[in-house]
Amino acid sequence: MILVNTDFVTGKNLETIGIVNGSYLAGLRFDLDKIIGKVNTNIEEKAKEMRADAVINIRYSFVGDGRCILATGTAVRFV
């Protein structure tokens, strides 16, 4: 699964499937890299359920004190 924050995948023609959302709420002690990894895994699982090949245009939002991370992207298929 390809996960990118651009609106394209080089060399691929894309068909939009839909929007995927992911989130993760960390405890008091957290490692940002691990949290981003968990959010990406969450998005990837949802995209796989949609039979997507990639998720493009991923955007991250930090909520409250930064322990809650929300992510949104567009699931696509290669055509």
Side-chain angles (χ1 to χ4, degrees), residues 1-3 14 17 47-48 50-55 75-79:
M1 175 75 56
I2 297 172
L3 304 173
L14 307 176
I17 300 171
K48 284 180 180 178
M50 300 169 77
R51 299 178 191 232
D53 296 312
V55 179
V76 296
R77 276 191 201 108
F78 300 148
V79 292

PDB file of all heavy atoms in Angstrom, residues 1-3 14 17 47-48 50-55 75-79:
ATOM      1  N   MET A   1       0.857  -1.173   0.000  1.00  0.00           N
ATOM      2  CA  MET A   1       0.000   0.000   0.000  1.00  0.00           C
ATOM      3  C   MET A   1       0.898   1.227   0.000  1.00  0.00           C
ATOM      4  O   MET A   1       1.814   1.329   0.808  1.00  0.00           O
ATOM      5  CB  MET A   1      -0.889  -0.030   1.230  1.00  0.00           C
ATOM      6  CG  MET A   1      -1.755   1.173   1.449  1.00  0.00           C
ATOM      7  SD  MET A   1      -3.194   1.347   0.395  1.00  0.00           S
ATOM      8  CE  MET A   1      -4.070  -0.176   0.673  1.00  0.00           C
ATOM      9  N   ILE A   2       0.596   2.143  -0.884  1.00  0.00           N
ATOM     10  CA  ILE A   2       1.328   3.402  -0.965  1.00  0.00           C
ATOM     11  C   ILE A   2       0.547   4.467  -0.208  1.00  0.00           C
ATOM     12  O   ILE A   2      -0.653   4.633  -0.425  1.00  0.00           O
ATOM     13  CB  ILE A   2       1.521   3.824  -2.436  1.00  0.00           C
ATOM     14  CG1 ILE A   2       2.370   2.786  -3.162  1.00  0.00           C
ATOM     15  CG2 ILE A   2       2.138   5.211  -2.526  1.00  0.00           C
ATOM     16  CD1 ILE A   2       2.463   3.001  -4.663  1.00  0.00           C
ATOM     17  N   LEU A   3       1.226   5.172   0.691  1.00  0.00           N
ATOM     18  CA  LEU A   3       0.630   6.269   1.449  1.00  0.00           C
ATOM     19  C   LEU A   3       1.461   7.522   1.164  1.00  0.00           C
ATOM     20  O   LEU A   3       2.653   7.529   1.443  1.00  0.00           O
ATOM     21  CB  LEU A   3       0.647   5.979   2.953  1.00  0.00           C
ATOM     22  CG  LEU A   3      -0.017   4.688   3.420  1.00  0.00           C
ATOM     23  CD1 LEU A   3       0.237   4.467   4.901  1.00  0.00           C
ATOM     24  CD2 LEU A   3      -1.503   4.716   3.139  1.00  0.00           C
ATOM     25  N   LEU A  14      -4.940   7.242 -11.698  1.00  0.00           N
ATOM     26  CA  LEU A  14      -5.696   6.942 -10.487  1.00  0.00           C
ATOM     27  C   LEU A  14      -7.196   7.055 -10.688  1.00  0.00           C
ATOM     28  O   LEU A  14      -7.680   7.905 -11.429  1.00  0.00           O
ATOM     29  CB  LEU A  14      -5.286   7.912  -9.375  1.00  0.00           C
ATOM     30  CG  LEU A  14      -3.797   8.011  -9.063  1.00  0.00           C
ATOM     31  CD1 LEU A  14      -3.552   9.084  -8.020  1.00  0.00           C
ATOM     32  CD2 LEU A  14      -3.247   6.674  -8.610  1.00  0.00           C
ATOM     33  N   ILE A  17     -11.661   6.256  -5.060  1.00  0.00           N
ATOM     34  CA  ILE A  17     -12.632   5.356  -4.442  1.00  0.00           C
ATOM     35  C   ILE A  17     -13.422   6.100  -3.376  1.00  0.00           C
ATOM     36  O   ILE A  17     -14.640   6.031  -3.332  1.00  0.00           O
ATOM     37  CB  ILE A  17     -11.937   4.134  -3.811  1.00  0.00           C
ATOM     38  CG1 ILE A  17     -11.166   3.357  -4.866  1.00  0.00           C
ATOM     39  CG2 ILE A  17     -12.953   3.245  -3.112  1.00  0.00           C
ATOM     40  CD1 ILE A  17     -10.296   2.270  -4.295  1.00  0.00           C
ATOM     41  N   ALA A  47      -8.352   1.479   3.900  1.00  0.00           N
ATOM     42  CA  ALA A  47      -8.190   1.543   2.446  1.00  0.00           C
ATOM     43  C   ALA A  47      -8.185   0.140   1.839  1.00  0.00           C
ATOM     44  O   ALA A  47      -8.751  -0.075   0.765  1.00  0.00           O
ATOM     45  CB  ALA A  47      -6.913   2.297   2.095  1.00  0.00           C
ATOM     46  N   LYS A  48      -7.567  -0.806   2.512  1.00  0.00           N
ATOM     47  CA  LYS A  48      -7.555  -2.190   2.018  1.00  0.00           C
ATOM     48  C   LYS A  48      -8.962  -2.763   1.963  1.00  0.00           C
ATOM     49  O   LYS A  48      -9.300  -3.499   1.038  1.00  0.00           O
ATOM     50  CB  LYS A  48      -6.657  -3.070   2.889  1.00  0.00           C
ATOM     51  CG  LYS A  48      -5.190  -2.864   2.628  1.00  0.00           C
ATOM     52  CD  LYS A  48      -4.343  -3.763   3.507  1.00  0.00           C
ATOM     53  CE  LYS A  48      -2.862  -3.544   3.241  1.00  0.00           C
ATOM     54  NZ  LYS A  48      -2.024  -4.370   4.121  1.00  0.00           N
ATOM     55  N   MET A  50     -11.486  -1.158   1.238  1.00  0.00           N
ATOM     56  CA  MET A  50     -12.089  -0.540   0.053  1.00  0.00           C
ATOM     57  C   MET A  50     -11.425  -1.034  -1.235  1.00  0.00           C
ATOM     58  O   MET A  50     -11.770  -0.590  -2.318  1.00  0.00           O
ATOM     59  CB  MET A  50     -11.952   0.989   0.149  1.00  0.00           C
ATOM     60  CG  MET A  50     -12.640   1.585   1.358  1.00  0.00           C
ATOM     61  SD  MET A  50     -12.221   3.314   1.617  1.00  0.00           S
ATOM     62  CE  MET A  50     -13.230   4.082   0.359  1.00  0.00           C
ATOM     63  N   ARG A  51     -10.457  -1.944  -1.083  1.00  0.00           N
ATOM     64  CA  ARG A  51      -9.687  -2.494  -2.214  1.00  0.00           C
ATOM     65  C   ARG A  51      -8.887  -1.422  -2.942  1.00  0.00           C
ATOM     66  O   ARG A  51      -8.764  -1.440  -4.170  1.00  0.00           O
ATOM     67  CB  ARG A  51     -10.583  -3.264  -3.158  1.00  0.00           C
ATOM     68  CG  ARG A  51     -11.252  -4.430  -2.466  1.00  0.00           C
ATOM     69  CD  ARG A  51     -12.171  -5.175  -3.375  1.00  0.00           C
ATOM     70  NE  ARG A  51     -12.938  -6.096  -2.562  1.00  0.00           N
ATOM     71  CZ  ARG A  51     -13.038  -7.390  -2.833  1.00  0.00           C
ATOM     72  NH1 ARG A  51     -12.467  -7.889  -3.861  1.00  0.00           N
ATOM     73  NH2 ARG A  51     -13.752  -8.158  -2.039  1.00  0.00           N
ATOM     74  N   ALA A  52      -8.335  -0.511  -2.174  1.00  0.00           N
ATOM     75  CA  ALA A  52      -7.515   0.569  -2.734  1.00  0.00           C
ATOM     76  C   ALA A  52      -6.079   0.091  -2.923  1.00  0.00           C
ATOM     77  O   ALA A  52      -5.621  -0.826  -2.235  1.00  0.00           O
ATOM     78  CB  ALA A  52      -7.528   1.775  -1.801  1.00  0.00           C
ATOM     79  N   ASP A  53      -5.382   0.731  -3.842  1.00  0.00           N
ATOM     80  CA  ASP A  53      -3.957   0.472  -4.069  1.00  0.00           C
ATOM     81  C   ASP A  53      -3.088   1.484  -3.332  1.00  0.00           C
ATOM     82  O   ASP A  53      -1.910   1.236  -3.082  1.00  0.00           O
ATOM     83  CB  ASP A  53      -3.624   0.544  -5.563  1.00  0.00           C
ATOM     84  CG  ASP A  53      -4.326  -0.543  -6.347  1.00  0.00           C
ATOM     85  OD1 ASP A  53      -4.274  -1.714  -5.917  1.00  0.00           O
ATOM     86  OD2 ASP A  53      -4.935  -0.226  -7.388  1.00  0.00           O
ATOM     87  N   ALA A  54      -3.670   2.648  -3.024  1.00  0.00           N
ATOM     88  CA  ALA A  54      -2.906   3.715  -2.385  1.00  0.00           C
ATOM     89  C   ALA A  54      -3.850   4.675  -1.677  1.00  0.00           C
ATOM     90  O   ALA A  54      -5.053   4.676  -1.931  1.00  0.00           O
ATOM     91  CB  ALA A  54      -2.091   4.479  -3.422  1.00  0.00           C
ATOM     92  N   VAL A  55      -3.272   5.469  -0.786  1.00  0.00           N
ATOM     93  CA  VAL A  55      -3.988   6.582  -0.182  1.00  0.00           C
ATOM     94  C   VAL A  55      -3.163   7.825  -0.469  1.00  0.00           C
ATOM     95  O   VAL A  55      -1.967   7.873  -0.160  1.00  0.00           O
ATOM     96  CB  VAL A  55      -4.181   6.410   1.339  1.00  0.00           C
ATOM     97  CG1 VAL A  55      -4.917   7.605   1.912  1.00  0.00           C
ATOM     98  CG2 VAL A  55      -4.930   5.121   1.641  1.00  0.00           C
ATOM     99  N   ALA A  75      -8.594   7.377  -0.818  1.00  0.00           N
ATOM    100  CA  ALA A  75      -8.276   6.036  -1.289  1.00  0.00           C
ATOM    101  C   ALA A  75      -8.441   5.993  -2.813  1.00  0.00           C
ATOM    102  O   ALA A  75      -9.417   6.498  -3.352  1.00  0.00           O
ATOM    103  CB  ALA A  75      -9.202   5.008  -0.646  1.00  0.00           C
ATOM    104  N   VAL A  76      -7.443   5.396  -3.502  1.00  0.00           N
ATOM    105  CA  VAL A  76      -7.466   5.327  -4.960  1.00  0.00           C
ATOM    106  C   VAL A  76      -7.051   3.945  -5.442  1.00  0.00           C
ATOM    107  O   VAL A  76      -6.386   3.189  -4.729  1.00  0.00           O
ATOM    108  CB  VAL A  76      -6.527   6.381  -5.592  1.00  0.00           C
ATOM    109  CG1 VAL A  76      -6.986   7.795  -5.275  1.00  0.00           C
ATOM    110  CG2 VAL A  76      -5.092   6.184  -5.177  1.00  0.00           C
ATOM    111  N   ARG A  77      -7.461   3.645  -6.667  1.00  0.00           N
ATOM    112  CA  ARG A  77      -7.031   2.435  -7.382  1.00  0.00           C
ATOM    113  C   ARG A  77      -6.181   2.849  -8.560  1.00  0.00           C
ATOM    114  O   ARG A  77      -6.387   3.898  -9.153  1.00  0.00           O
ATOM    115  CB  ARG A  77      -8.231   1.674  -7.930  1.00  0.00           C
ATOM    116  CG  ARG A  77      -8.884   0.777  -6.979  1.00  0.00           C
ATOM    117  CD  ARG A  77      -9.900  -0.137  -7.671  1.00  0.00           C
ATOM    118  NE  ARG A  77     -10.826  -0.604  -6.667  1.00  0.00           N
ATOM    119  CZ  ARG A  77     -12.074  -0.216  -6.554  1.00  0.00           C
ATOM    120  NH1 ARG A  77     -12.604   0.604  -7.430  1.00  0.00           N
ATOM    121  NH2 ARG A  77     -12.823  -0.673  -5.581  1.00  0.00           N
ATOM    122  N   PHE A  78      -5.244   1.993  -8.935  1.00  0.00           N
ATOM    123  CA  PHE A  78      -4.469   2.237 -10.145  1.00  0.00           C
ATOM    124  C   PHE A  78      -5.255   1.707 -11.345  1.00  0.00           C
ATOM    125  O   PHE A  78      -5.785   0.597 -11.301  1.00  0.00           O
ATOM    126  CB  PHE A  78      -3.118   1.534 -10.084  1.00  0.00           C
ATOM    127  CG  PHE A  78      -2.259   1.971  -8.925  1.00  0.00           C
ATOM    128  CD1 PHE A  78      -1.390   1.079  -8.319  1.00  0.00           C
ATOM    129  CD2 PHE A  78      -2.307   3.279  -8.448  1.00  0.00           C
ATOM    130  CE1 PHE A  78      -0.592   1.474  -7.256  1.00  0.00           C
ATOM    131  CE2 PHE A  78      -1.499   3.685  -7.384  1.00  0.00           C
ATOM    132  CZ  PHE A  78      -0.650   2.763  -6.794  1.00  0.00           C
ATOM    133  N   VAL A  79      -5.350   2.502 -12.386  1.00  0.00           N
ATOM    134  CA  VAL A  79      -6.065   2.084 -13.600  1.00  0.00           C
ATOM    135  C   VAL A  79      -5.136   2.122 -14.788  1.00  0.00           C
ATOM    136  O   VAL A  79      -4.121   2.744 -14.787  1.00  0.00           O
ATOM    137  CB  VAL A  79      -7.312   2.942 -13.877  1.00  0.00           C
ATOM    138  CG1 VAL A  79      -8.348   2.684 -12.801  1.00  0.00           C
ATOM    139  CG2 VAL A  79      -6.988   4.403 -13.960  1.00  0.00           C
TER     140      VAL A  79
END
